[in-house]
Amino acid sequence: MRSTLQTIDQMQFRKAMSRFATGVAILTTEYQGQRYGMTINSLTSVSLDPAQILVCINAGSPTGIAIKNSKVFGISLLTEDQTFASRSFVGPTAARFDAVASTDHELGVPLIDGALANMVCRVENIFISGDHEIAIGEVIECTHAPEGEPLVFFGGEYGKFEVARPFVEQNCAGGVA
């Protein structure tokens, strides 16, 4: 039985997804002496045992190709003060690392200095879906800053995280539990 569902307009889908707030990260690797990196907001933890993370990469991107070949990648979760770093890793690849301070992990993976957290991952699997590749990596090392606030992306704009007012559980009669 064939589905009667129609495909949706890509711009409409893009606008709908822009209504979902995400953090911002820089995905990096090194292959044959060259550093690669791109800004991403499609990432999630997959498993705690073993520790795994999933990232979505434009199919055929230079960074994605380098990750497939190097079999390792780094993720730097950006702070609210690192908008410039995020913008530096979008568009032409030539000077991406010239704009930010980074440190190379012993496996050669560049990690962005001052990030909220940095992770080094070994590629476990890569799946193709639509116009993207989904890479699953085993986290082999991670560090995090003791404090700081994340860079947030919403509606095509960068912003800051704000804690909602504290949750107070109420019982059915309206009193505080």
Side-chain angles (χ1 to χ4, degrees):
M1 177 179 201
R2 291 191 78 179
S3 171
T4 58
L5 296 176
Q6 296 179 348
T7 57
I8 62 169
D9 176 78
Q10 288 181 358
M11 188 52 70
Q12 199 61 12
F13 179 63
R14 201 177 172 103
K15 286 180 183 178
M17 289 307 299
S18 78
R19 307 317 294 162
F20 182 65
T22 67
V24 182
I26 294 178
L27 175 68
T28 60
T29 196
E30 183 275 334
Y31 182 63
Q32 295 183 336
Q34 186 170 345
R35 301 164 107 205
Y36 296 85
M38 62 190 289
T39 299
I40 62 169
N41 63 356
S42 293
L43 70 128
T44 191
S45 61
V46 174
S47 170
L48 287 175
D49 187 17
Q52 292 179 325
I53 196 155
L54 170 154
V55 295
C56 296
I57 309 163
N58 291 333
S61 73
T63 301
I65 292 168
I67 287 171
K68 280 194 263 188
N69 290 316
S70 71
K71 307 281 191 260
V72 293
F73 61 89
I75 297 172
S76 298
L77 305 180
L78 301 183
T79 70
E80 65 185 5
D81 298 324
Q82 291 180 309
T83 302
F84 182 75
S86 175
R87 290 177 194 215
S88 298
F89 281 80
V90 176
T93 60
R96 290 181 177 187
F97 287 94
D98 294 343
V100 298
S102 63
T103 303
D104 290 345
H105 182 269
E106 63 189 49
L107 295 176
V109 175
L111 299 170
I112 306 304
D113 294 347
L116 277 179
N118 282 303
M119 292 170 254
V120 177
C121 305
R122 179 178 21 253
V123 174
E124 288 291 316
N125 217 327
I126 297 178
F127 304 94
I128 298 171
S129 185
D131 58 3
H132 276 65
E133 294 172 323
I134 302 164
I136 297 177
E138 180 177 356
V139 180
I140 57 175
E141 187 172 318
C142 65
T143 60
H144 63 87
E147 56 186 45
E149 296 297 329
L151 182 59
V152 177
F153 195 69
F154 177 77
E157 301 289 335
Y158 292 102
K160 297 180 180 187
F161 174 76
E162 183 178 319
V163 176
R165 64 186 173 97
F167 175 73
V168 178
E169 192 172 325
Q170 294 184 345
N171 64 26
C172 292
V176 176

